């Protein structure tokens, strides 16, 4: 990867803000970035190589940071989150039951024998896509909060369940890795909470601000990358590391100063690089000669919409239900692992990606409709937006 390619990535990523510029369209920024990646990547012009180690690593850093910021958006300290978690877990559970039925039917119809994998795909949501959409469209309210909780729970559960569905022999190792990451995040909460209560955090903050050391950002990033390293060693997604640490920071309290810094680093550089890389890694050309796999992808895509859209019966507004169906991380991981282990039929990996793209297109339209009912203008672009606002009296645990 060269500086010229990095300049190209940064330039094409501007398609995200350009498409999102007309307010009446209500398009999320991530959509344009994904499309830009598809155009310059494996499906399109081939101007960048998504398998390049440097490109992949920078994208992974962006993914970890996106999930960290997404975790800080969850208002853990708000009492309203408790009933939202209960309702979100219920909806995620119902979606899993419906996914089991639809997944078995699809596997039987196509004779692939991959019902467990399809069930995980159909039940999953993508916090990395949904939460930025919620934030960019400034969706707010109790129903949005419940949907956010549902997406987070479904995403984490499916990330943990994916190895069992794709690679059962290594599922135990992945479960142990997930438990270690979660335990370390819990320890960090108690340590950082003690630093806050003891006043050490405040003194460090004052010194940092006076000397312009930016210690808030430095320390948070060091801890985030350490947890991400544990996740990689434990063979679990760095999504779990980033999101769990974001929840820790939200539970202790995040200052506006850190929110501005993270907004600049994430939304200004590393986040766009991740979404462009994600689009560039998709190879939709493999579907061209396989009508059967195209049909499988369509069934997976619309099956996902049926599973999540059915939650309207539980009182969830249809636009939010369809928005929660957006998925990409789990299908990409499933396609990658399945291809590496030679467990999938030719074209099946691309079919899963096609199904994910159908869900993304539907969730984009749903987000636009949801913005008409649940959007709330916010003057601070680095604020917490819809899912949660920065704590006025609860500064972060580092300074």
């Amino acid at each position: 990867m060269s500086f010229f390619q990095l300049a190209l990535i940064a330039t094409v990523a501007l398609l995200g803000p350009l498409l999102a510029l007309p307010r009446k369209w209500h398009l999320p920024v991530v959509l344009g970035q994904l499309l830009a990646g598809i155009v310059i990547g494996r499906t399109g012009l081939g101007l960048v190589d998504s398998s390049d180690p440097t490109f992949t690593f920078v994208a992974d850093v962006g993914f970890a940071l996106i999930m960290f910021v997404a975790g800080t958006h969850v208002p853990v300290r708000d009492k309203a989150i408790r009933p939202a978690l209960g309702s979100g877990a219920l909806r995620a559970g119902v979606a899993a039951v419906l996914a089991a039925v639809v997944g078995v039917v699809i596997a039987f119809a196509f004779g692939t024998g991959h019902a467990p994998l399809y069930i995980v795909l159909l039940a999953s949501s993508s916090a990395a896509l949904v939460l930025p959409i919620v934030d960019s469209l400034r969706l707010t309210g109790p129903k949005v909060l419940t949907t956010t909780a549902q997406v987070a729970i479904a995403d984490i559960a499916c990330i943990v369940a994916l190895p069992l569905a794709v690679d059962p022999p290594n599922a135990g190792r992945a479960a142990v890795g997930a438990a270690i990451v979660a335990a370390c995040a819990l320890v960090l909460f108690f340590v950082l909470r003690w630093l806050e209560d003891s006043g050490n955090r405040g003194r460090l903050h004052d010194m940092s601000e006076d000397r312009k050391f930016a210690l808030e950002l430095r320390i948070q990033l060091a801890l985030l990358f350490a947890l991400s390293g544990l996740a990689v060693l434990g063979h679990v997604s760095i999504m779990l590391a980033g999101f769990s640490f974001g929840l820790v920071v939200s539970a202790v309290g995040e200052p506006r100063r850190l929110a501005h810094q993270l907004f600049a680093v994430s939304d200004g550089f590393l986040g766009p690089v991740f979404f462009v890389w994600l689009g560039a890694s998709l190879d939709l050309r493999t579907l061209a000669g396989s009508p059967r796999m195209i049909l499988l992808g369509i069934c997976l895509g619309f099956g996902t919409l049926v599973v999540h859209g059915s939650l309207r019966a539980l009182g969830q507004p249809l636009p939010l239900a369809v928005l929660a169906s957006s998925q990409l991380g789990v299908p990409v991981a499933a396609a990658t692992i399945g291809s590496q282990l030679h467990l999938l039929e030719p074209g099946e990996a691309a079919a899963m990606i096609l199904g994910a793209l159908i869900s993304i297109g539907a969730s984009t339209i749903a987000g636009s409709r949801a913005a008409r009912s649940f959007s709330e203008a916010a003057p601070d672009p680095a604020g917490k937006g819809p899912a949660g606002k920065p704590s006025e009296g609860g500064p972060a645990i580092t300074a």
Side-chain angles (χ1 to χ4, degrees):
M1 184 176 179
S2 67
F3 279 107
F4 289 111
Q5 290 175 316
L6 186 59
L8 173 64
I9 293 167
T11 300
V12 298
L14 291 173
L15 182 61
L18 288 176
L19 288 181
L21 189 60
R23 293 184 180 273
K24 62 180 180 180
W25 291 0
H26 298 292
L27 296 180
V29 176
V30 298
L31 175 63
Q33 294 166 171
L34 282 170
L35 292 176
I38 291 174
V39 170
I40 67 172
R42 299 174 66 184
T43 301
L45 303 175
L47 300 179
V48 294
D49 181 9
S50 61
S51 64
D52 181 275
T54 303
F55 191 9
T56 301
F57 180 73
V58 175
D60 283 342
V61 174
F63 183 44
L65 191 56
I66 287 170
M67 295 314 305
F68 170 63
V69 173
T72 64
H73 284 193
V74 180
V76 179
R77 303 171 73 184
D78 190 343
K79 294 181 180 179
I81 193 63
R82 297 173 186 174
L85 284 173
S87 299
L90 174 63
R91 291 176 181 174
V94 172
V97 173
L98 296 174
V101 176
V102 178
V104 169
V105 171
I106 293 177
F108 176 79
F110 287 88
T112 61
H114 294 153
L117 175 58
Y118 296 164
I119 292 170
V120 173
L121 293 177
L122 294 168
S124 69
S125 296
S126 176
L129 287 173
V130 175
L131 296 184
I133 288 175
V134 169
D135 196 38
S136 65
L137 298 180
R138 298 181 180 181
L139 307 183
T140 187
K143 294 182 179 180
V144 174
L145 186 61
T146 301
T147 300
T148 299
Q150 170 195 340
V151 168
I153 293 170
D155 202 1
I156 292 175
C158 290
I159 284 293
V160 175
L162 183 61
L164 179 61
V166 180
D167 188 19
N170 294 317
R173 180 179 61 180
V176 171
I180 291 175
V181 171
C184 289
L186 185 61
V187 170
L188 278 176
F189 168 75
F190 287 111
V191 171
L192 298 176
R193 182 75 267 179
W194 174 79
L195 289 174
E196 173 68 27
D197 293 340
S198 66
N200 290 325
R201 195 283 317 159
R203 288 187 288 273
L204 188 63
H205 171 83
D206 293 338
M207 183 269 291
S208 173
E209 187 174 15
D210 180 62
R211 301 290 300 276
K212 309 298 181 183
F213 285 163
L215 291 180
E216 293 111 331
L217 187 61
R218 292 171 185 253
I219 297 176
Q220 300 286 20
L221 290 180
L223 293 174
L224 171 63
F225 297 152
L227 274 182
S228 299
L230 282 177
V232 172
L233 288 176
H235 300 276
V236 295
S237 172
I238 56 177
M239 171 264 176
L240 181 62
F243 194 74
S244 59
F245 185 49
L247 292 177
V248 167
V249 172
S250 178
V252 177
E254 182 186 27
R256 293 185 181 277
R257 179 182 176 188
L258 179 60
H260 280 276
Q261 293 170 333
L262 289 173
F263 175 80
V265 175
S266 177
D267 288 49
F269 174 48
L270 292 172
V273 169
F274 165 72
F275 286 114
V276 171
W277 171 85
L278 202 54
S281 67
L282 304 179
D283 186 5
L284 303 180
R285 294 182 179 181
T286 56
L287 289 172
S290 180
R292 176 171 169 267
M293 287 296 115
I294 292 177
L295 183 58
L296 173 60
I298 293 174
C299 289
L300 288 173
F302 283 96
T304 300
L305 300 181
V306 170
V307 166
H308 291 270
S310 298
L311 297 180
R312 184 181 183 184
L314 297 180
Q316 186 175 30
L318 185 59
L320 295 181
V322 176
L323 177 62
S325 72
S326 180
Q327 54 181 229
L328 195 57
V330 171
V332 168
T336 301
I337 296 173
S339 298
Q340 291 174 344
L341 299 178
H342 305 289
L343 300 175
L344 304 177
E345 296 185 13
E348 192 174 3
M352 292 189 290
I353 299 303
L354 175 60
L357 292 177
I358 291 174
S359 73
I360 292 174
S363 63
T364 299
I365 298 173
S368 177
R369 291 185 174 275
R372 301 171 185 175
S373 302
F374 302 101
S375 180
E376 179 180 274
D380 182 6
K384 296 292 102 178
K389 298 179 181 179
S391 173
E392 295 291 345
I397 31 58
T398 56

